[in-house]
Amino acid sequence: MSILVSLLSLMFFPAGISLILSGMLYEWADRKLVARFQNRIGPRWFQPLADTIKLLSKEEIKPHGVNNLLFYGLPIVALSGALTAALYTPILGLKPTYSFQGDLIVSLYLLSLLTMCTGLAGWNGASRFSLIGATRSLTQLFAYEAPFLLALLGPAMAAGTWNIRDISTYASDHLMFLAQPVGFVIALIGLMGKLELPPFDAPEAETEIVAGALTEYSGRGLALFHIGKSVELVVAISLVTAFYLGGVGNPLIFLLKTLIILLFMAMLQSMLTRLRIDQTVGMWWRFGALLALLQILVIVLLKGWLV
Amino acid sequence: MNVPQNYVNQLMGKITTWARVNSPWAIHFNSGSCNGCDIEILATLTPRYDIERFGIKLRGSPRHADVLICTGPVTRQARERLLRTYEQMPDPKFVVAVGSCGISGGVFQGCYNIVGHINEVLPVDAFIPGCPPRPEAIIDGIVKLLTHLQNGTRPEPITFAPQETA
Amino acid sequence: MTTETILQRAGEVLAPFSKGNTTPETNRLDVQIEGSDLPAATSVMLSNDLGYLSAITPTDLGKEVNKLELIYHFCEGAAITSLRIHLPREDQPDIPSISDQIPVASFFERELGEMLGVHVVGTPDSSRLFLPDDWPDGVYPLREDFTVEQAAPVTPHETLPEMGRVGNKFTVPIGPQHPALKEPGHFEFEVDGEIITGARMRLGYVHRGIEKATEQRNWIQNLYLLERICGICSHTHTSAYAIGVEKLAQVEVPQRAQAIREIVAGLERIHSHLLWLGVAAHEAGFDTLFMYSWRDRETVMDLLETLTGNRVNYSIIALGGVKYDFTAEHSRAINKAMDYLEERIRYYLHIVTTDASFLQRTRGIGTMSLAEAKHFGALGPTARASGLERDVRIDAPYGAYHRFPISLITAENGDLEARFEVRMKELLVSCFAIRTIVDNLPAGELAVRFPRKVPAGETISRVEAPRGEAFYYIKSGGGESPTRLKIRTPSLCNWTSALNKAVGHQLADVPMLIAGMDPCFSCNDRMITVRRKNDSQTLSWSQMREYGIKKYAEIRETK
């Protein structure tokens, strides 16, 4: 029975189909918000769904001279990573399907898998644009991963555990974003870096390198990466919400909180110019990492005092 | 046993067509135009016209695009690049020629460095006349193309009666 | 110095070389010199500060005269000193290069080579500029006996010279179909990681052969052709053409028409700079600014449509005047629009000078000093942002600018931020000028009668386009069509500075740098090469092309 339950939860809820659909909803919300900020109307609610179906139905062109295994395999791996990470996160404020000590690290790694696959895909591609995009992707990964992890580590240290479920439970009793405001801000901005949203979209800068690492992808491969990105959006936002904005609890309220974060991200997207890749990295390592470390220090000290 | 199979195929076909009609990603190519049409095409992205409502996104890479929006009277130099861009686009793909130059060469007919019109280089699915056509005309033309795609037909060419020469 | 003193001084310093002086118009001095004296003559012109090289007009004088003519135009203020050189009408006669003294001349000289078949000795780059790779050798479009059939394509040959192969740098092609470039052009940048070490450019994607085509159309038809050189600055081109032709025909355009022309020119400048602001912002990744500025630009487009009937290619100029009149309603509409626009432009000025994330992409980038601007022959807002006081509307006022002058806007820093600042401030000046004219519109006729045939002669007209000075040389043989029409558009001169500045910057800055000079490929489909470093490797265009063709052929086979 439990296997059946596991399978069902994997394929339908909370992972699987429902996750993909909610990814599309979030993507729509993001695009709509950005459009409104830009004084436009924006896309219709089913737009991401139409985009995905269309991509899946397009011809797939494989550039000559690329590694077949990598070319076809990377999109699948990327999507799987994002979907698997969802199993450990409290989607919609419900308890995660699976959990074990240390699943925080595993989750984050799985989320990064997407970016690494993008990077590899770019390297594998036969055009120089995709190579530059790949380099930028990986550089950016290298930059924000550490502060983002540190930012998520804050609540983990406060809760005294590596288990996402336990951290979320702890967080629902304590308001983390008040207790660790710096960590919250870093987590939010790190989120945008992770998702390669503007202003951190140098790896995909349309006006400079055509389409970045995924320049050479079309059809199914592109669709899978696309879905992977929206799933990552949902999972990462849920993680940050669970840790900082009050953990597990009422699904509706959780949803509202995630939307607030989305609103904030849409605002930042519209208001800032794209940062150059060296500026991104510089900013992260100088401010992001440092601030996050400081926050950790504060937590360590406080814990030492209080306990 | 064929009936469910046919039904499934039809359903898939309908869904795919629906998706393609509602999410036509475009790529823009200037094959030597004066830029008038291009700025009107860009203007369709802006708040007053907002073509994202129709699901149209302007992409950078031809691999990601379904519709090639082409302007200009195809200079010799640009011809090859135009072909290459078209070839890089995955199927199914469509070509929209915007502006008089793309249709007939416009004011540049007879100039030594132009091929003439886009239809000589690529199979064009929709022509949008004007010098330049207004953004509304461009959106109208693209929507007409999409409507025909939805119905499964290609747009009918409009023929004019030959001019009576005095 | 006044125009007279400049011309007088020019006459004096050029006396040793002169084989005959003429004064075709009050502000022009024509000096006939020998081809071999060209470098020396250029040098005295430059050392006495008698002008910058604005254009080189190549003409084939035809079989009877049996000569090729090159005219080198030096402009200073309103004075134009032209060095006229006659060459034998053979294949590839020699003329010395002046690119070592004037970098921008390298472009013009490439044009000479491919268009007229002149061999410029010592020019740093003699590869094709405008003509396509598959153009047959030995066929020169500007020669009198050129026919379109002669230009049948041949297999393309190597046009880009190989560079040294020491080292292993990476080349990034940008264009001809690239999202940053709304118009096609092809750049090649050598990069080391993300830093640019060399830049090169090839145009020709928008070369339509307009100069030659004007000879086959009559004076009025040319208005419509020239309008479509560039959709963004179409009014500028027709203005320059009309002013020149009206000078030749000695037709006095009524005051009202001139004022209306200036109003439309001002509106065009507003639309062009707002367009540019949006495109530059888009290139920086600041899409919100792009959306806002283009939304506000629609106000101007609406105005233009109300006044002229079309959003782009307004076609309001007729030879001898203008076509449409202004009514009181138009004036009201304009005033209202100006109120709205001035407020928005001030807002944009505020943003480009204070928004931190934007400044990160523009402050201190692409800095060009005053000396460099002069040396590279920069024009328009790009030059003015470096403090170079060059504006044809002020140096050599034409049309209604005598009566309704505008003020000069310059900045000191010369970086991208300064260029943004200058353009926004220029817009405020334009708004003010438009308001003034609308409130004081002179009464009178809209147009005067214009003869069908324009008397023989040649004239030069210069007009300030939104991007800089547009230079027109018009020669009439007394017939219904021009004998020769030479157009030198501003972006051509600005490429040198942009590409030179690119070296040393990051690849990510390239779109902004190029956008900063507001390039208009359609306007100037000319080629320019910039810098070569001997220690980098480049793939030539045909190599890349071959590779691409092979690649896709194989894909087709595997499908």
Side-chain angles (χ1 to χ4, degrees):
Chain A
M1 261 314 284
S2 66
I3 296 187
L4 189 60
V5 169
S6 306
L7 267 178
L8 281 176
S9 62
L10 250 176
M11 296 206 331
F12 295 106
F13 187 85
I17 301 282
S18 61
L19 186 59
I20 294 181
L21 286 176
S22 47
M24 291 185 191
L25 266 176
Y26 273 78
E27 185 193 330
W28 169 77
D30 179 61
R31 277 172 72 174
K32 186 81 175 170
L33 282 171
V34 170
R36 287 320 239 145
F37 278 120
Q38 291 177 351
N39 203 207
R40 296 182 291 124
I41 295 184
R44 302 157 292 186
W45 64 269
F46 53 80
Q47 196 58 53
L49 181 64
D51 287 342
T52 312
I53 298 182
K54 181 212 70 174
L55 280 176
L56 285 172
S57 72
K58 278 204 59 112
E59 172 198 9
E60 181 139 36
I61 295 184
K62 184 182 82 76
H64 187 73
V66 303
N67 185 323
N68 275 351
L69 190 64
L70 281 181
F71 188 79
Y72 291 116
L74 283 174
I76 303 176
V77 172
L79 181 57
S80 332
L83 286 175
T84 318
L87 292 175
Y88 301 104
T89 44
I91 309 283
L92 264 196
L94 303 170
K95 289 223 278 251
T97 324
Y98 294 100
S99 101
F100 59 90
Q101 272 294 337
D103 61 6
L104 174 63
I105 305 296
V106 172
S107 250
L108 284 174
Y109 174 69
L110 285 172
L111 285 180
S112 313
L113 199 59
L114 185 88
T115 323
M116 285 195 262
C117 286
T118 317
L120 257 183
W123 169 81
N124 191 28
S127 92
R128 46 195 92 202
F129 294 125
S130 48
L131 185 54
I132 296 185
T135 321
R136 287 188 182 180
S137 245
L138 295 172
T139 316
Q140 195 160 284
L141 175 89
F142 180 63
Y144 63 69
E145 197 62 24
F148 187 59
L149 181 58
L150 287 174
L152 288 182
L153 215 55
M157 294 191 71
T161 165
W162 288 103
N163 185 330
I164 293 185
R165 177 160 57 192
D166 295 337
I167 302 174
S168 319
T169 323
Y170 178 85
S172 45
D173 301 325
H174 307 77
L175 275 178
M176 284 286 119
F177 76 96
L178 286 179
Q180 302 175 17
V182 173
F184 181 49
V185 173
I186 305 273
L188 271 179
I189 304 190
L191 191 58
M192 295 182 69
K194 193 168 192 66
L195 300 167
E196 282 175 21
L197 292 171
F200 305 113
D201 63 342
E204 175 186 299
E206 176 213 321
T207 59
E208 292 156 34
I209 46 175
V210 186
L214 301 179
T215 309
E216 299 291 323
Y217 270 89
S218 54
R220 201 176 50 230
L222 192 60
L224 290 179
F225 270 117
H226 192 80
I227 302 175
K229 279 216 156 89
S230 16
V231 168
E232 195 192 358
L233 180 67
V234 177
V235 172
I237 289 188
S238 301
L239 209 56
V240 173
T241 313
F243 279 27
Y244 279 99
L245 284 182
V248 295
N250 191 334
L252 225 54
I253 300 191
F254 193 85
L255 188 65
L256 216 62
K257 291 178 192 167
T258 52
L259 287 176
I260 294 178
I261 292 193
L262 198 61
L263 178 70
F264 178 72
M265 288 195 338
M267 240 172 52
L268 273 188
Q269 273 183 61
S270 321
M271 284 183 351
L272 300 173
T273 329
R274 180 191 307 131
L275 291 174
R276 266 195 347 231
I277 189 70
D278 63 318
Q279 292 168 339
T280 319
V281 174
M283 191 189 92
W284 277 112
W285 277 108
R286 262 176 278 152
F287 297 111
L290 228 53
L291 285 176
L293 273 175
L294 272 174
Q295 175 81 74
I296 300 268
L297 202 61
V298 166
I299 299 173
V300 167
L301 288 176
L302 278 180
K303 270 229 129 172
W305 272 17
L306 294 175
V307 164
Chain B
M1 281 294 98
N2 276 332
V3 175
Q5 183 69 8
N6 270 344
Y7 181 67
V8 167
N9 279 345
Q10 260 195 344
L11 186 63
M12 293 302 292
K14 277 217 177 101
I15 295 180
T16 331
T17 316
W18 169 85
R20 285 181 187 157
V21 165
N22 279 300
S23 163
W25 286 0
I27 187 169
H28 162 249
F29 190 88
N30 176 335
S31 73
S33 86
C34 73
N35 228 30
C37 295
D38 305 295
I39 57 182
E40 296 293 66
I41 292 173
L42 266 194
T44 58
L45 294 173
T46 57
R48 185 183 272 202
Y49 306 102
D50 193 16
I51 210 169
E52 198 185 5
R53 294 177 289 155
F54 300 95
I56 303 178
K57 269 169 83 154
L58 223 51
R59 309 293 303 181
S61 162
R63 311 264 185 180
H64 299 176
D66 310 296
V67 181
L68 174 63
I69 303 183
C70 191
T71 61
V74 193
T75 58
R76 289 245 295 255
Q77 192 76 341
R79 185 173 180 279
E80 182 96 30
R81 285 57 172 171
L82 177 59
L83 273 173
R84 265 228 269 155
T85 307
Y86 183 69
E87 281 160 17
Q88 285 184 55
M89 289 168 64
D91 282 327
K93 52 191 172 186
F94 307 97
V95 179
V96 175
V98 174
S100 311
C101 290
I103 300 176
S104 67
V107 284
F108 304 112
Q109 286 177 44
C111 288
Y112 61 76
N113 202 34
I114 64 167
V115 167
H117 41 276
I118 299 175
N119 211 11
E120 283 202 17
V121 181
L122 298 176
V124 178
D125 293 289
F127 294 94
I128 304 180
C131 190
R134 301 177 56 102
E136 289 105 320
I138 297 175
I139 298 182
D140 183 47
I142 296 187
V143 168
K144 275 204 169 87
L145 175 66
L146 292 176
T147 319
H148 278 279
L149 291 178
Q150 178 102 49
N151 300 337
T153 60
R154 285 272 157 115
E156 286 279 320
I158 305 177
T159 50
F160 293 97
Q163 286 281 346
E164 302 289 319
T165 43
Chain C
M1 296 200 279
T2 65
T3 314
E4 290 83 28
T5 41
I6 296 176
L7 293 177
Q8 210 183 5
R9 182 107 186 93
E12 285 163 24
V13 301
L14 290 171
F17 313 105
S18 160
K19 290 187 335 194
N21 289 9
T22 53
T23 316
E25 290 170 294
T26 44
N27 62 333
R28 286 176 53 195
L29 175 67
D30 245 17
V31 180
Q32 184 90 26
I33 65 170
E34 199 66 54
S36 45
D37 285 331
L38 180 61
T42 311
S43 152
V44 298
M45 287 293 292
L46 290 178
S47 52
N48 283 289
D49 252 344
L50 290 170
Y52 57 91
L53 180 66
S54 189
I56 303 178
T57 305
T59 316
D60 181 355
L61 290 177
K63 274 208 213 37
E64 294 91 48
V65 182
N66 206 25
K67 288 215 172 44
L68 299 177
E69 182 179 66
L70 302 177
I71 315 178
Y72 288 66
H73 304 279
F74 288 84
C75 298
E76 181 70 31
I80 308 177
T81 314
S82 310
L83 302 175
R84 200 179 283 254
I85 300 169
H86 284 166
L87 295 173
R89 195 169 173 273
E90 59 196 23
D91 193 36
Q92 305 270 326
D94 284 345
I95 179 122
S97 161
I98 52 171
S99 304
D100 47 344
Q101 300 180 53
I102 304 176
V104 80
S106 147
F107 305 129
F108 302 143
E109 285 167 359
R110 280 165 91 171
E111 189 195 353
L112 291 184
E114 66 178 0
M115 290 290 175
L116 198 59
V118 170
H119 179 230
V120 187
V121 180
T123 189
D125 191 331
S126 55
S127 51
R128 290 235 168 102
L129 191 54
F130 296 107
L131 294 179
D133 293 325
D134 58 4
W135 191 269
D137 282 330
V139 175
Y140 308 115
L142 284 180
R143 293 273 177 133
E144 196 194 35
D145 43 4
F146 168 76
T147 56
V148 182
E149 291 76 38
Q150 288 178 345
V154 298
T155 45
H157 65 282
E158 201 67 26
T159 53
L160 295 176
E162 293 274 350
M163 307 216 308
R165 283 173 180 272
V166 180
N168 207 359
K169 303 256 171 81
F170 192 56
T171 316
V172 180
I174 294 191
Q177 171 269 320
H178 187 276
L181 308 174
K182 299 299 167 257
E183 307 167 65
H186 180 77
F187 298 91
E188 268 187 13
F189 292 103
E190 287 146 27
V191 294
D192 193 4
E194 291 255 344
I195 306 280
I196 298 177
T197 54
R200 178 196 266 147
M201 188 172 155
R202 204 249 194 263
L203 289 167
Y205 298 93
V206 200
H207 179 66
R208 293 151 286 184
I210 292 182
E211 283 181 20
K212 191 79 184 173
T214 55
E215 294 168 20
Q216 281 119 32
R217 289 158 169 74
N218 67 36
W219 296 101
I220 297 183
Q221 285 172 329
N222 277 328
L223 271 177
Y224 296 97
L225 178 63
L226 294 174
E227 220 174 35
R228 289 157 175 82
I229 292 182
C230 174
I232 302 175
C233 42
S234 66
H235 181 86
T236 321
H237 284 285
T238 41
S239 287
Y241 173 73
I243 290 175
V245 175
E246 283 151 8
K247 257 198 282 190
L248 277 180
Q250 285 161 349
V251 164
E252 180 82 31
V253 176
Q255 290 276 337
R256 190 175 178 87
Q258 285 185 0
I260 293 178
R261 282 184 187 179
E262 187 175 332
I263 294 180
V264 178
L267 287 174
E268 183 178 66
R269 181 164 273 108
I270 296 178
H271 118 76
S272 170
H273 283 336
L274 281 178
L275 182 151
W276 166 84
L277 179 65
V279 170
H282 176 67
E283 262 142 58
F286 200 1
D287 269 343
T288 315
L289 187 56
F290 166 59
M291 295 291 170
Y292 285 4
S293 60
W294 278 54
R295 178 202 62 196
D296 294 330
R297 185 174 156 265
E298 292 296 325
T299 321
V300 181
M301 306 303 269
D302 282 344
L303 261 186
L304 284 166
E305 196 181 2
T306 321
L307 296 170
T308 66
N310 200 359
R311 289 160 51 99
V312 181
N313 295 336
Y314 339 111
S315 196
I316 195 172
I317 292 188
L319 289 176
V322 295
K323 291 181 195 165
Y324 310 112
D325 199 4
F326 262 49
T327 61
E329 273 157 44
H330 291 143
S331 310
R332 272 198 294 275
I334 290 185
N335 274 316
K336 217 169 98 176
M338 289 300 125
D339 286 333
Y340 175 72
L341 280 172
E342 273 176 358
E343 188 200 314
R344 298 302 297 166
I345 294 170
R346 271 185 238 280
Y347 171 66
Y348 294 132
L349 183 59
H350 177 74
I351 292 188
V352 299
T353 43
T354 56
D355 182 282
S357 70
F358 200 68
L359 285 177
Q360 233 179 352
R361 299 296 298 270
T362 56
R363 190 166 270 176
I365 300 196
T367 314
M368 190 164 65
S369 68
L370 178 56
E372 283 178 315
K374 257 190 166 157
H375 182 64
F376 290 137
L379 296 171
T382 317
R384 295 197 279 276
S386 299
L388 186 53
E389 290 177 4
R390 220 172 247 181
D391 189 329
V392 182
R393 296 171 292 174
I394 296 168
D395 298 335
Y398 50 91
Y401 287 107
H402 291 285
R403 194 165 155 170
F404 301 102
I406 57 124
S407 35
L408 181 69
I409 304 282
T410 55
E412 282 129 29
N413 297 334
D415 57 2
L416 277 181
E417 186 200 347
R419 291 173 208 165
F420 277 84
E421 206 186 306
V422 164
R423 287 192 175 96
M424 290 298 109
K425 287 189 179 158
E426 273 185 12
L427 285 189
L428 291 172
V429 168
S430 284
C431 286
F432 178 70
I434 292 174
R435 274 194 212 268
T436 320
I437 302 177
V438 164
D439 291 337
N440 299 303
L441 201 59
E445 298 184 351
L446 286 183
V448 294
R449 231 181 141 59
F450 199 83
R452 199 177 168 85
K453 298 190 184 185
V454 171
E458 52 172 62
T459 181
I460 292 179
S461 73
R462 296 155 66 206
V463 151
E464 181 79 11
R467 288 160 186 78
E469 173 194 317
F471 183 99
Y472 268 64
Y473 167 89
I474 308 171
K475 184 168 172 182
S476 166
E480 290 184 7
S481 303
T483 324
R484 174 86 175 96
L485 188 68
K486 163 92 184 110
I487 306 163
R488 196 275 298 140
T489 52
S491 297
L492 185 54
C493 295
N494 283 330
W495 286 121
T496 331
S497 54
L499 292 175
N500 265 301
K501 281 290 130 196
V503 175
H505 277 93
Q506 306 222 6
L507 184 60
D509 288 325
V510 161
M512 288 299 283
L513 281 172
I514 296 178
M517 54 154 282
D518 198 1
C520 189
F521 291 82
S522 328
C523 268
N524 79 112
D525 205 81
R526 292 163 187 266
M527 234 170 29
I528 294 176
T529 54
V530 184
R531 189 92 66 89
R532 294 186 252 164
K533 298 227 160 143
N534 293 329
D535 59 345
S536 358
Q537 177 197 54
T538 333
L539 285 179
S540 75
W541 180 241
S542 53
Q543 272 179 296
M544 282 193 332
R545 209 171 129 266
E546 292 297 308
Y547 170 60
I549 293 175
K550 244 191 333 181
K551 204 166 61 151
Y552 296 122
E554 296 183 84
I555 293 178
R556 270 200 295 265
E557 273 156 46
T558 53
K559 267 206 301 205

